[in-house]
Amino acid sequence: MELHDNKKREMILNSALELFSKRPFHRVTMEDIANKADVAKGTVYYHFDSKNKLFEYLITDGLNSIRSRLDTGLKGDDPVEDLRCFIESFLNCFIGEQDFFSVLQYEELKDPGDIRTKYRKKNRDYCESLTKILDDGMRMGKFRKDIEPNVLARMIIGMIKSVKNTDHKDVSSLINDMILNGITKGG
Amino acid sequence: MELHDNKKREMILNSALELFSKRPFHRVTMEDIANKADVAKGTVYYHFDSKNKLFEYLITDGLNSIRSRLDTGLKGDDPVEDLRCFIESFLNCFIGEQDFFSVLQYEELKDPGDIRTKYRKKNRDYCESLTKILDDGMRMGKFRKDIEPNVLARMIIGMIKSVKNTDHKDVSSLINDMILNGITKGG
DNA sequence: ACAATATGACTGACCAGTCAGTATAATTAA
DNA sequence: TTAATTATACTGACTGGTCAGTCATATTGT
C-alpha cells in the first residue's frame, strides 16, 4: 500500500550510472545527476543518503547481477568447457554493460580511505570463479601448470576487457581459441 | 647552492607522481603535493602553471621515456623475435614504472573536455608499435590472421598489464610462450 | 488528515589559483 | 672591495568559485 512506482529512483540510478561512466567520481556533481534524472537535488538525497552511498549502490547492485550471470552455466566437471562458457558469459556482460564496467574501472583504481577498499574483494569475485576453473584444469592436466591460476585468471580478464569495437562474428570463440592455442595456429 | 639546481622541482614531480598514482586527480590537492615535496604551495605554482599542466608534464615525460625504451631492440625483419623483444621491454617498463602506469590508467579513462583527450593518441603509441609487429607477422604467415592486428595488440597489452606480483623467474618468456602457444601446451 | 514524496535556496568546507612580499644569488657600479 | 641593482627562487595568507549535504516548505497519494 505504501509507495511506489520508484520511477524517479530508477531515473536517478540510470542517470548516475551514465554520468559516472563518462567522468570520474569527483567530476560528477549531485546536481548533474539530479538534472539528468529530471528531479530536484533534494530528491536524490531523499532516495540516497550520500553521493558515496549512491555510488556504492550502483557498484554492489551491478556486481551482484553480473556475478549471477557469470555463474550460470558452469558445470564444474569440465574445465575446458567451463572456461569456454565463462569467457562467453563474461564477454556478453562486458559488452552489454559497458557503462557499468567503465564505472567499475574507476572503482578498481587504488583509493584507500574511502568506500572503494571495501569492494575490492567482491570486485575480484569473478576472478576467483575463473581461478577455480583454471586450477581444476591444471590439476586435471588440461592446462599448463607453469603459472599461478589466479595470475592467469587476471590476465585472461585483462585480455577480454581490452577488446573493443571488433565486428568479428563470434569474438567469444575466437578469444577462447586464442587462449587455448595461442596466436601461431588457427585462423 | 640554491640557484639552478632543480632539487625542488624534482621533488615536486616525484611527490606528484606518487600521489597521483595512489589517488585520482581530483583527490590530490596542490597542497598535498607541496607538503610531500616539503615546499610551499606557491613553489609548485612557480614551477608549473597549473595542476593540469603539472599532470600533463608527468604524462608526456613518462610516455616519451617509455616509448624510447620500447623501440630499442626491434629489428623489423623477424616478427616472432620482435614480439618477444617487445613483450620483454614492455614488462620491464610496466614493472619498473608502476606509479607511472597507475597514473596512466587514470589518464586512459574517459574524461572528455580536458587535457586527457589530447593524450589518447600518444597514449596508444606503444599499441601501434605492437600492431605493426603483429601485422607483419600475419602477412608473413607467422601469426593467425583471423583477428585485427590492432585488436590483438590491445589484448596483449591488456594481458600484460594485468600481471601482478608474480615471482616466476622469467615472466616475460612465460607470457611470450602463452601468447604464441596458448595455455593447453607448455609448462 | 496524514504520511510519503519532492523541492531548491542555503550553508560551510574545501581547494585551485593569486599575489604581495622575502630571501638568496648573480651582475654591475663605485 | 663593497655597495647597489637586478634576476631568480620561494613563501603562505588570501580570494573566488564549487559542491556535498541540509532544511523549511510544498505537493501528492490514500
Side-chain angles (χ1 to χ4, degrees), chain A residues 10-20 33 36-38:
Chain A
E10 297 299 329
M11 281 300 295
I12 291 167
L13 284 169
N14 292 339
S15 307
L17 185 68
E18 194 181 328
L19 288 168
F20 283 136
I33 296 169
K36 178 149 221 147
D38 216 4

Side-chain angles (χ1 to χ4, degrees), chain B residues 79-137:
Chain B
V80 178
E81 170 55 20
D82 273 358
L83 176 62
R84 195 205 56 72
C85 177
F86 181 92
I87 290 172
E88 188 175 329
S89 307
F90 187 76
L91 202 71
N92 282 337
C93 281
F94 185 64
I95 289 173
E97 318 282 342
Q98 293 212 283
D99 277 359
F100 174 73
F101 273 92
S102 294
V103 178
L104 199 60
Q105 196 184 347
Y106 288 120
E107 174 59 18
E108 276 167 350
L109 300 173
K110 326 184 197 83
D111 191 7
D114 70 351
I115 9 157
R116 297 156 180 264
T117 345
K118 169 157 138 209
Y119 298 115
R120 279 299 144 59
K121 198 185 163 317
K122 238 185 192 160
N123 214 328
R124 298 271 176 258
D125 269 348
Y126 52 75
C127 264
E128 277 167 28
S129 168
L130 177 55
T131 299
K132 192 183 170 306
I133 297 172
L134 295 169
D135 195 36
D136 289 349

Side-chain angles (χ1 to χ4, degrees), chain A residues 3 8 40 42-43 46-47:
Chain A
L3 64 169
K8 299 204 170 178
T43 308
Y46 176 76
H47 289 285

Side-chain angles (χ1 to χ4, degrees), chain A:
Chain A
M1 72 177 66
E2 296 166 40
L3 64 169
H4 359 1
D5 57 33
N6 268 352
K7 203 83 172 244
K8 299 204 170 178
R9 192 171 193 277
E10 297 299 329
M11 281 300 295
I12 291 167
L13 284 169
N14 292 339
S15 307
L17 185 68
E18 194 181 328
L19 288 168
F20 283 136
S21 77
K22 297 225 165 53
R23 297 203 292 273
F25 188 76
H26 295 91
R27 297 247 340 235
V28 175
T29 74
M30 289 301 255
E31 225 168 299
D32 290 342
I33 296 169
N35 289 342
K36 178 149 221 147
D38 216 4
V39 134
K41 194 177 171 186
T43 308
V44 180
Y45 279 93
Y46 176 76
H47 289 285
F48 300 93
D49 290 348
S50 66
K51 193 183 179 185
N52 275 358
K53 284 282 175 58
L54 168 55
F55 191 80
E56 177 180 329
Y57 183 87
L58 284 174
I59 297 292
T60 40
D61 188 56
L63 279 173
N64 286 341
S65 100
I66 279 169
R67 278 214 53 192
S68 66
R69 281 173 67 183
L70 288 183
D71 283 346
T72 59
L74 299 183
K75 294 294 190 313
D77 54 0
D78 182 354
V80 177
E81 170 56 20
D82 274 358
L83 177 62
R84 196 204 55 72
C85 177
F86 181 92
I87 289 171
E88 188 175 329
S89 308
F90 186 76
L91 203 70
N92 282 336
C93 282
F94 185 63
I95 289 171
E97 317 283 341
Q98 292 211 286
D99 278 359
F100 175 74
F101 273 93
S102 295
V103 179
L104 198 61
Q105 196 184 349
Y106 288 120
E107 175 58 18
E108 276 167 348
L109 299 174
K110 323 182 197 88
D111 191 7
D114 71 350
I115 9 156
R116 294 151 183 268
T117 345
K118 170 157 138 211
Y119 300 115
R120 279 300 143 57
K121 197 183 164 316
K122 240 185 193 162
N123 212 327
R124 298 269 176 262
D125 268 350
Y126 52 76
C127 266
E128 276 166 29
S129 169
L130 177 55
T131 300
K132 193 182 168 307
I133 297 172
L134 296 168
D135 195 36
D136 289 348
M138 288 178 191
R139 258 181 292 117
M140 292 165 72
K142 305 279 190 176
F143 303 141
R144 62 192 303 156
K145 300 187 174 71
D146 55 352
I147 182 164
E148 290 288 325
N150 65 320
V151 175
L152 182 55
R154 242 174 284 184
M155 287 171 67
I156 291 176
I157 297 282
M159 190 172 167
I160 299 179
K161 278 184 174 173
S162 309
V163 176
K164 298 253 161 65
N165 355 308
T166 180
D167 54 355
H168 195 285
K169 56 257 151 247
D170 191 354
V171 204
S172 168
S173 58
L174 172 59
I175 292 178
N176 187 53
D177 188 53
M178 276 197 333
I179 289 169
L180 291 177
N181 301 313
I183 66 172
T184 47
K185 36 189 232 175

